[in-house]
Amino acid sequence: MISALMPNYARADLAFERGEGAWLWTVDGRRFLDFGSGIATASLGHGNQHLADAIAEQAHKVMHVSNLYRIPGAERLAQRLVDASFADSVFFCNSGAEANEAMIKMIRKTMAEAGKPERFRIICFEGAFHGRTLATLAATGNAKYLAGFGPVVEGFDHVPFNNMNAVRNAIGPGTAGIMVEPIQGEGGVRAADMQFLRDLRAVCDEFGLILGMDEVQSGMGRTGKLFAHEWAGIVPDVMSVAKGIAGGFPLGAVLAKEFVAKNMVPGTHGSTFGGNPLACAAGNAALDVILAPGFLQEVDRKGRKLRAALDKIARDYPTVFADARGMGLLLGMKCVLPQGEVQAACVAEGLLAITAGDNVLRLAPPLVVTDADLDAAVAMLDRAARRCLPGAGKAAAK
Ligand SMILES: *Cc1c(COP(=O)(O)O)cnc(C)c1O
């Protein structure tokens, strides 16, 4: 008989009861070091006092009123995001896919309002992940995810990542914009070349295209800057954010320049839950932590420290790992062995790591991870790699 929960996830047989910082405890009392943060989402770690208090306080006051009314917490959160970014205006929703869906609509609407409705196509990249709704699936373009779900939403052209010639060749009279992840998270923690991001900005300026960034995974401090595109010294025209934006509470956002945002007049788009008082209280609390002086520098420092340790492990175990990659605390190790085998060895050592495309083991600890946590994770990963060595055998794995 089918389980009450639909079988669309391949769940590990682990159930967590509580957490503290980067650590999680199962219902049967085992302790794990969480270097996935869910999927790069629980950025403030588990049991964060400031976040939990903000949510509890707001829940007692008022949770939901609808966007029929002004929402002071949403106004404040939007203003803080505008002040900290390239954007002039913010739309709130509940997830990454919804943020991308809205970003796609905004790109199309901006062209239509400029008198060019025939320009609705968006250039996307091989290895991308933009979500599971019908339009964001089409933007993702992964044949495996699209199979069985009927006609693919029209208007997305895919080209190889980090290939400027391919981008230029794909631009046509129907092109409205480009949609890119500064770091492809699901695709295997593959970073865009900084020069590639600068060239995308230049080609958008040259052809009057809209540059859309999907920073659902790379944003909100994950790479040691508030947004990953800042490393390239450029700004997009519109950007989607979700995952870590509220420390694990469901919240998504689209940040846009005025020329994009001004087209979203009443009636063009909406969301029942989007930007409600509870979600925005969580978002504001998360921002308190992320924007505190020195916090992002610490993410950068810890990311470099972990990356150096991963580089060493990749050198020490060349039959297990091919390389280490990624920026800040969004890191990956390309596996030589099947990634699932390496992941299982990590779990056996008490380390939760997640997988990504391209046979990569992904490490995305909470941004509040401590140096002691990093040292513990590196030791666990080293032992896990040793378990995977040929001849380590089942006995050694016990
Ligand atoms: C996770 C993710 C999404 C989808 O977010 P959901 O909240 O699962 O809908 C979109 N884009 C990127 C880059 C992601 O990592």
Tab-separated table of all heavy atoms in Angstrom, residues 356-392:
chain	number	residue	atom	x	y	z
A	356	ALA	N	24.728	16.590	-5.517
A	356	ALA	CA	24.339	17.522	-6.573
A	356	ALA	C	24.669	16.842	-7.896
A	356	ALA	O	25.248	15.748	-7.909
A	356	ALA	CB	25.090	18.843	-6.426
A	357	GLY	N	24.280	17.485	-8.990
A	357	GLY	CA	24.559	16.926	-10.307
A	357	GLY	C	26.055	16.798	-10.546
A	357	GLY	O	26.872	17.259	-9.740
A	358	ASP	N	26.438	16.148	-11.637
A	358	ASP	CA	27.851	16.014	-12.022
A	358	ASP	C	28.624	15.147	-11.017
A	358	ASP	O	29.833	15.307	-10.866
A	358	ASP	CB	28.492	17.418	-12.155
A	358	ASP	CG	29.764	17.412	-12.993
A	358	ASP	OD1	29.916	16.494	-13.829
A	358	ASP	OD2	30.600	18.323	-12.823
A	359	ASN	N	27.885	14.241	-10.313
A	359	ASN	CA	28.499	13.337	-9.327
A	359	ASN	C	29.268	14.092	-8.243
A	359	ASN	O	30.385	13.734	-7.877
A	359	ASN	CB	29.425	12.322	-10.028
A	359	ASN	CG	29.657	11.079	-9.164
A	359	ASN	OD1	28.763	10.632	-8.453
A	359	ASN	ND2	30.861	10.534	-9.218
A	360	VAL	N	28.633	15.151	-7.737
A	360	VAL	CA	29.270	16.009	-6.731
A	360	VAL	C	28.637	15.804	-5.366
A	360	VAL	O	27.419	15.670	-5.237
A	360	VAL	CB	29.164	17.492	-7.171
A	360	VAL	CG1	29.433	18.439	-6.019
A	360	VAL	CG2	30.133	17.755	-8.323
A	361	LEU	N	29.486	15.742	-4.352
A	361	LEU	CA	29.057	15.765	-2.960
A	361	LEU	C	29.054	17.240	-2.545
A	361	LEU	O	30.065	17.918	-2.663
A	361	LEU	CB	30.051	14.984	-2.089
A	361	LEU	CG	29.656	14.786	-0.631
A	361	LEU	CD1	28.587	13.701	-0.509
A	361	LEU	CD2	30.876	14.412	0.210
A	362	ARG	N	27.874	17.731	-2.094
A	362	ARG	CA	27.728	19.169	-1.821
A	362	ARG	C	27.801	19.420	-0.320
A	362	ARG	O	27.190	18.710	0.462
A	362	ARG	CB	26.393	19.646	-2.393
A	362	ARG	CG	26.160	21.125	-2.309
A	362	ARG	CD	24.907	21.599	-3.071
A	362	ARG	NE	23.948	20.567	-3.437
A	362	ARG	CZ	22.693	20.804	-3.801
A	362	ARG	NH1	22.256	22.044	-3.856
A	362	ARG	NH2	21.875	19.823	-4.125
A	363	LEU	N	28.553	20.455	0.074
A	363	LEU	CA	28.672	20.850	1.470
A	363	LEU	C	28.205	22.296	1.609
A	363	LEU	O	28.804	23.203	1.015
A	363	LEU	CB	30.123	20.706	1.945
A	363	LEU	CG	30.660	19.266	1.924
A	363	LEU	CD1	32.177	19.257	2.089
A	363	LEU	CD2	30.016	18.417	3.004
A	364	ALA	N	27.129	22.493	2.346
A	364	ALA	CA	26.570	23.834	2.537
A	364	ALA	C	26.148	23.968	3.996
A	364	ALA	O	24.971	23.964	4.327
A	364	ALA	CB	25.380	24.046	1.604
A	365	PRO	N	27.141	24.094	4.897
A	365	PRO	CA	26.810	24.177	6.324
A	365	PRO	C	26.056	25.471	6.631
A	365	PRO	O	26.084	26.408	5.833
A	365	PRO	CB	28.187	24.175	7.000
A	365	PRO	CG	29.137	24.671	5.962
A	365	PRO	CD	28.583	24.217	4.649
A	366	PRO	N	25.408	25.534	7.788
A	366	PRO	CA	24.801	26.799	8.202
A	366	PRO	C	25.864	27.898	8.185
A	366	PRO	O	27.034	27.626	8.485
A	366	PRO	CB	24.325	26.533	9.630
A	366	PRO	CG	24.185	25.050	9.722
A	366	PRO	CD	25.205	24.472	8.786
A	367	LEU	N	25.461	29.131	7.882
A	367	LEU	CA	26.438	30.223	7.814
A	367	LEU	C	27.027	30.523	9.192
A	367	LEU	O	28.088	31.130	9.286
A	367	LEU	CB	25.788	31.481	7.225
A	367	LEU	CG	25.128	31.323	5.847
A	367	LEU	CD1	24.601	32.667	5.348
A	367	LEU	CD2	26.090	30.717	4.821
A	368	VAL	N	26.344	30.069	10.248
A	368	VAL	CA	26.813	30.310	11.614
A	368	VAL	C	27.738	29.194	12.104
A	368	VAL	O	28.100	29.153	13.283
A	368	VAL	CB	25.633	30.449	12.605
A	368	VAL	CG1	24.749	31.640	12.222
A	368	VAL	CG2	24.804	29.161	12.639
A	369	VAL	N	28.131	28.297	11.209
A	369	VAL	CA	29.007	27.177	11.569
A	369	VAL	C	30.256	27.707	12.300
A	369	VAL	O	30.769	28.779	11.972
A	369	VAL	CB	29.378	26.392	10.282
A	369	VAL	CG1	30.305	27.202	9.371
A	369	VAL	CG2	29.969	25.043	10.591
A	370	THR	N	30.718	26.964	13.311
A	370	THR	CA	31.899	27.414	14.064
A	370	THR	C	33.168	26.768	13.508
A	370	THR	O	33.101	25.782	12.763
A	370	THR	CB	31.784	27.014	15.552
A	370	THR	OG1	31.813	25.571	15.636
A	370	THR	CG2	30.493	27.534	16.172
A	371	ASP	N	34.311	27.305	13.895
A	371	ASP	CA	35.584	26.718	13.470
A	371	ASP	C	35.714	25.283	13.993
A	371	ASP	O	36.233	24.405	13.300
A	371	ASP	CB	36.757	27.571	13.952
A	371	ASP	CG	36.923	28.801	13.074
A	371	ASP	OD1	37.499	28.659	11.969
A	371	ASP	OD2	36.449	29.870	13.462
A	372	ALA	N	35.213	25.047	15.205
A	372	ALA	CA	35.267	23.682	15.759
A	372	ALA	C	34.403	22.742	14.914
A	372	ALA	O	34.792	21.588	14.677
A	372	ALA	CB	34.791	23.696	17.212
A	373	ASP	N	33.231	23.238	14.458
A	373	ASP	CA	32.377	22.424	13.577
A	373	ASP	C	33.105	22.093	12.275
A	373	ASP	O	33.035	20.966	11.770
A	373	ASP	CB	31.085	23.167	13.213
A	373	ASP	CG	30.191	23.448	14.415
A	373	ASP	OD1	30.287	22.714	15.417
A	373	ASP	OD2	29.397	24.405	14.329
A	374	LEU	N	33.789	23.096	11.724
A	374	LEU	CA	34.515	22.877	10.462
A	374	LEU	C	35.579	21.801	10.659
A	374	LEU	O	35.708	20.881	9.842
A	374	LEU	CB	35.174	24.172	9.971
A	374	LEU	CG	34.244	25.302	9.520
A	374	LEU	CD1	35.063	26.524	9.109
A	374	LEU	CD2	33.361	24.857	8.356
A	375	ASP	N	36.315	21.903	11.762
A	375	ASP	CA	37.364	20.911	12.039
A	375	ASP	C	36.754	19.520	12.191
A	375	ASP	O	37.292	18.532	11.684
A	375	ASP	CB	38.137	21.288	13.309
A	375	ASP	CG	38.911	22.599	13.145
A	375	ASP	OD1	39.118	23.022	11.986
A	375	ASP	OD2	39.290	23.200	14.175
A	376	ALA	N	35.613	19.454	12.887
A	376	ALA	CA	34.957	18.153	13.096
A	376	ALA	C	34.497	17.571	11.756
A	376	ALA	O	34.665	16.372	11.496
A	376	ALA	CB	33.764	18.316	14.048
A	377	ALA	N	33.941	18.415	10.909
A	377	ALA	CA	33.438	17.942	9.615
A	377	ALA	C	34.582	17.429	8.744
A	377	ALA	O	34.459	16.393	8.079
A	377	ALA	CB	32.698	19.066	8.892
A	378	VAL	N	35.698	18.149	8.760
A	378	VAL	CA	36.845	17.746	7.950
A	378	VAL	C	37.383	16.391	8.430
A	378	VAL	O	37.698	15.517	7.616
A	378	VAL	CB	37.939	18.839	7.969
A	378	VAL	CG1	39.236	18.339	7.362
A	378	VAL	CG2	37.443	20.085	7.232
A	379	ALA	N	37.413	16.212	9.739
A	379	ALA	CA	37.873	14.919	10.284
A	379	ALA	C	36.914	13.800	9.882
A	379	ALA	O	37.347	12.697	9.518
A	379	ALA	CB	37.997	15.013	11.805
A	380	MET	N	35.619	14.068	9.938
A	380	MET	CA	34.623	13.056	9.540
A	380	MET	C	34.745	12.727	8.060
A	380	MET	O	34.654	11.559	7.662
A	380	MET	CB	33.204	13.575	9.816
A	380	MET	CG	32.832	13.644	11.277
A	380	MET	SD	31.181	14.405	11.425
A	380	MET	CE	31.039	14.560	13.199
A	381	LEU	N	34.946	13.770	7.253
A	381	LEU	CA	35.063	13.569	5.809
A	381	LEU	C	36.303	12.757	5.482
A	381	LEU	O	36.293	11.886	4.598
A	381	LEU	CB	35.098	14.935	5.108
A	381	LEU	CG	34.945	14.927	3.593
A	381	LEU	CD1	33.577	14.352	3.194
A	381	LEU	CD2	35.080	16.349	3.039
A	382	ASP	N	37.385	13.033	6.213
A	382	ASP	CA	38.626	12.282	6.017
A	382	ASP	C	38.393	10.796	6.336
A	382	ASP	O	38.786	9.917	5.560
A	382	ASP	CB	39.720	12.885	6.913
A	382	ASP	CG	41.085	12.312	6.595
A	382	ASP	OD1	41.407	11.217	7.116
A	382	ASP	OD2	41.821	12.922	5.793
A	383	ARG	N	37.725	10.534	7.452
A	383	ARG	CA	37.439	9.135	7.819
A	383	ARG	C	36.489	8.491	6.810
A	383	ARG	O	36.632	7.317	6.475
A	383	ARG	CB	36.856	9.065	9.240
A	383	ARG	CG	37.887	9.315	10.333
A	383	ARG	CD	37.391	8.842	11.699
A	383	ARG	NE	36.213	9.590	12.145
A	383	ARG	CZ	36.266	10.720	12.852
A	383	ARG	NH1	37.432	11.232	13.175
A	383	ARG	NH2	35.171	11.325	13.229
A	384	ALA	N	35.534	9.274	6.330
A	384	ALA	CA	34.580	8.756	5.336
A	384	ALA	C	35.320	8.378	4.054
A	384	ALA	O	35.062	7.329	3.452
A	384	ALA	CB	33.495	9.788	5.038
A	385	ALA	N	36.266	9.225	3.649
A	385	ALA	CA	37.041	8.946	2.429
A	385	ALA	C	37.844	7.657	2.612
A	385	ALA	O	37.919	6.824	1.706
A	385	ALA	CB	37.967	10.119	2.121
A	386	ARG	N	38.410	7.494	3.822
A	386	ARG	CA	39.188	6.285	4.097
A	386	ARG	C	38.308	5.025	4.001
A	386	ARG	O	38.735	4.004	3.492
A	386	ARG	CB	39.828	6.391	5.493
A	386	ARG	CG	41.143	5.647	5.590
A	386	ARG	CD	41.899	5.996	6.871
A	386	ARG	NE	42.045	7.429	7.079
A	386	ARG	CZ	42.271	7.978	8.284
A	386	ARG	NH1	42.327	7.222	9.367
A	386	ARG	NH2	42.430	9.278	8.390
A	387	ARG	N	37.072	5.150	4.473
A	387	ARG	CA	36.131	4.024	4.365
A	387	ARG	C	35.891	3.622	2.910
A	387	ARG	O	35.533	2.478	2.636
A	387	ARG	CB	34.746	4.430	4.891
A	387	ARG	CG	34.548	4.347	6.361
A	387	ARG	CD	33.166	4.919	6.673
A	387	ARG	NE	32.948	4.994	8.107
A	387	ARG	CZ	32.278	4.072	8.813
A	387	ARG	NH1	31.737	3.041	8.212
A	387	ARG	NH2	32.143	4.197	10.115
A	388	CYS	N	36.009	4.611	2.022
A	388	CYS	CA	35.681	4.371	0.613
A	388	CYS	C	36.858	3.789	-0.161
A	388	CYS	O	36.703	3.395	-1.319
A	388	CYS	CB	35.247	5.674	-0.057
A	388	CYS	SG	33.678	6.305	0.563
A	389	LEU	N	38.067	3.793	0.448
A	389	LEU	CA	39.234	3.303	-0.282
A	389	LEU	C	39.053	1.838	-0.649
A	389	LEU	O	38.483	1.067	0.131
A	389	LEU	CB	40.503	3.464	0.570
A	389	LEU	CG	40.950	4.904	0.816
A	389	LEU	CD1	42.165	4.919	1.735
A	389	LEU	CD2	41.256	5.614	-0.494
A	390	PRO	N	39.555	1.438	-1.820
A	390	PRO	CA	39.445	0.044	-2.203
A	390	PRO	C	40.143	-0.806	-1.135
A	390	PRO	O	41.216	-0.447	-0.639
A	390	PRO	CB	40.190	-0.038	-3.552
A	390	PRO	CG	40.870	1.263	-3.739
A	390	PRO	CD	40.268	2.253	-2.817
A	391	GLY	N	39.492	-1.909	-0.731
A	391	GLY	CA	40.102	-2.772	0.281
A	391	GLY	C	39.719	-2.401	1.687
A	391	GLY	O	39.993	-3.134	2.624
A	392	ALA	N	39.070	-1.197	1.875
A	392	ALA	CA	38.626	-0.812	3.218
A	392	ALA	C	37.625	-1.847	3.725
A	392	ALA	O	37.619	-2.183	4.903
A	392	ALA	CB	38.000	0.570	3.203
